[in-house]
Amino acid sequence: MEQIIKIVSLSKNYGDFKALFEVSLDIEKGTIFGLLGPNGAGKSTLIRVLACQSRPSGGHAYIDGLDVVIDKKKVLSIIGVVPQENSFYDDLTVNENLTYFGSLYRVHGSDIKERSSNILSMLRLGEKANNRAGTLSGGMKTRLNIACALVHKPRVLILDEPSVGLDPVSRQALWDTIREVNREGTTILITTHYMQEADALCDRILIMNRGKIVVEGKPGELKEAAGEKVIQISSSPGNYEIIKSSLEPIKAIRSCSFDEMGLKVTLGGEVPAQDIFDIFESHGEKIKSVESSSPSLEDVFIHAAGEAWH
Ligand SMILES: Nc1ncnc2c1ncn2[C@@H]1O[C@H](COP(=O)(O)OP(=O)(O)OP(=O)(O)O)[C@@H](O)[C@H]1O
Ligand SMILES: [Mg+2]
């Protein structure tokens, strides 16, 4: 297995604040790797360091063997970065935009023509080649934004929350686009807050919190490791905060969380459901519904994000 990204004890401080703390990670060539974590976890900070936009305070990061600090110029020539805001010009046509971005990477003449036409057909934008970028639909604009980062055939494509604000259809199209780019051999590094997206798209995911890695692995493995069963209970009047504090000391209960839908308990071992119901009743709660399921990536996330706070 060949590692294309190697991160060794990487730290980033802002004054006294440690946005990244001694993060070490290997990412295998050809994978789609998802970076997850709550707001402020350090995902964008990590991505900025890898994209040579921010210098680390300590440690090293290498892309295809190149140091992101020492070999910055070379690194920039082998990565593509998709910013959250569209980076193309609305007044230029799709083709003109690609030609412009090509020129930034010194891809000119017949090379850029051929490359543009390949990218546009891969991203299903061929028909729009001569349309002004500003007139594209939202989903098409997202694809063009990615296309602009692909003109120089990067070995690694980095996307920071690319699906924010997309409707479900455009999001699906974005996933197809990312898979397509990946199939061409490009390694993908993506951050997202959508667990379903990470689950559907990523070969491996990393959950970080407060500048540190909490867990890393295949989505399936992480779900299996999260627990055996998730029970969601809705009750009335629904004072979940206090029930949660009664449930948490029980050893077989891995994690507990609640929202307006009810209280969710992830079980690591056998706990008779009746024991849990008894606790609800002891707090004067009337159980309205009980649902049981296997852990989802969201359960993994809530558990992992909670863990690092302790
Ligand atoms: N330039 C900066 N100066 C000071 N603090 C910063 C700077 N950039 C980021 N931070 C802090 O570092 C921490 C990590 O921020 P970062 O943007 O990496 O989080 P994130 O995981 O991308 O979060 P989100 O999911 O909200 O995008 C935050 O506490 C943030 O306030
Ligand atoms: Mg961010």
Side-chain angles (χ1 to χ4, degrees):
M1 277 184 289
E2 202 182 329
Q3 308 303 340
I4 193 153
I5 299 181
K6 191 163 184 62
I7 300 171
V8 187
S9 202
L10 195 72
S11 296
K12 176 74 190 182
N13 306 331
Y14 292 110
D16 288 341
F17 181 75
K18 293 178 165 59
L20 285 179
F21 184 71
E22 296 183 358
V23 170
S24 295
L25 172 72
D26 286 339
I27 298 178
E28 201 184 313
K29 193 172 179 174
T31 48
I32 303 183
F33 193 94
L35 200 50
L36 314 181
N39 294 132
K43 304 177 295 296
S44 296
T45 303
L46 179 55
I47 277 187
R48 279 199 298 273
V49 172
L50 293 175
C52 308
Q53 293 163 358
S54 161
R55 279 175 79 102
S57 313
H60 298 277
Y62 306 92
I63 300 185
D64 218 4
L66 300 166
D67 187 302
V68 296
V69 177
I70 299 167
D71 307 309
K72 178 172 170 177
K73 263 202 171 144
K74 281 189 189 151
V75 169
L76 289 174
S77 73
I78 62 161
I79 63 171
V81 182
V82 181
Q84 199 166 328
E85 301 299 320
N86 290 337
S87 53
F88 54 78
Y89 293 94
D90 278 349
D91 292 338
L92 298 182
T93 66
V94 167
N95 251 337
E96 286 164 351
N97 267 295
L98 293 185
T99 304
Y100 168 72
F101 279 90
S103 72
L104 297 182
Y105 289 102
R106 303 214 166 88
V107 187
H108 298 289
S110 58
D111 286 349
I112 188 65
K113 283 215 174 81
E114 188 188 338
R115 185 68 189 147
S116 298
S117 124
N118 288 344
I119 295 172
L120 293 182
S121 72
M122 173 171 74
L123 303 189
R124 288 175 290 114
L125 282 170
E127 275 179 22
K128 301 285 179 183
N130 296 313
N131 291 46
R132 278 199 314 116
T135 64
L136 300 179
S137 75
M140 289 174 186
K141 282 181 177 164
T142 305
R143 299 211 291 276
L144 177 58
N145 204 29
I146 295 177
C148 293
L150 290 173
V151 284
H152 58 302
K153 288 194 184 169
R155 292 173 216 169
V156 177
L157 185 68
I158 298 175
L159 308 103
D160 196 356
E161 297 193 44
S163 53
V164 167
L166 294 187
D167 66 47
V169 175
S170 302
R171 190 171 298 159
Q172 193 74 49
L174 171 76
W175 298 354
D176 289 342
T177 303
I178 291 174
R179 288 194 189 103
E180 195 62 44
V181 173
N182 177 247
R183 245 189 307 253
E184 302 255 296
T186 311
T187 305
I188 312 277
L189 178 61
I190 175 175
T191 74
T192 178
H193 282 293
Y194 301 105
M195 296 302 120
Q196 202 199 351
E197 174 166 281
D199 207 357
L201 205 55
C202 299
D203 300 305
R204 293 186 79 86
I205 60 164
L206 168 77
I207 300 180
M208 60 187 300
N209 197 359
R210 300 195 156 194
K212 293 183 193 168
I213 294 175
V214 186
V215 285
E216 195 265 330
K218 292 183 182 161
E221 289 170 358
L222 298 181
K223 283 186 280 185
E224 266 175 38
E228 286 177 7
K229 200 158 78 169
V230 176
I231 305 183
Q232 172 140 354
I233 302 166
S234 126
S235 67
S236 173
N239 295 318
Y240 299 128
E241 182 74 59
I242 191 152
I243 308 169
K244 180 173 179 257
S245 50
S246 300
L247 288 170
E248 270 171 344
I250 300 176
K251 225 177 158 197
I253 292 181
R254 287 272 177 84
S255 65
C256 232
S257 65
F258 61 87
D259 58 19
E260 65 283 2
M261 302 288 288
L263 185 126
K264 222 178 198 186
V265 185
T266 305
L267 300 176
E270 277 305 306
V271 183
Q274 192 55 50
D275 291 4
I276 296 174
F277 301 155
D278 287 348
I279 289 178
F280 271 77
E281 272 152 26
S282 71
H283 287 291
E285 294 281 334
K286 194 166 167 341
I287 292 177
K288 293 196 294 191
S289 72
V290 179
E291 268 174 49
S292 160
S293 59
S294 301
S296 65
L297 205 54
E298 187 148 342
D299 300 317
V300 176
F301 181 89
I302 289 167
H303 186 52
E307 220 163 52
W309 294 90
H310 298 312

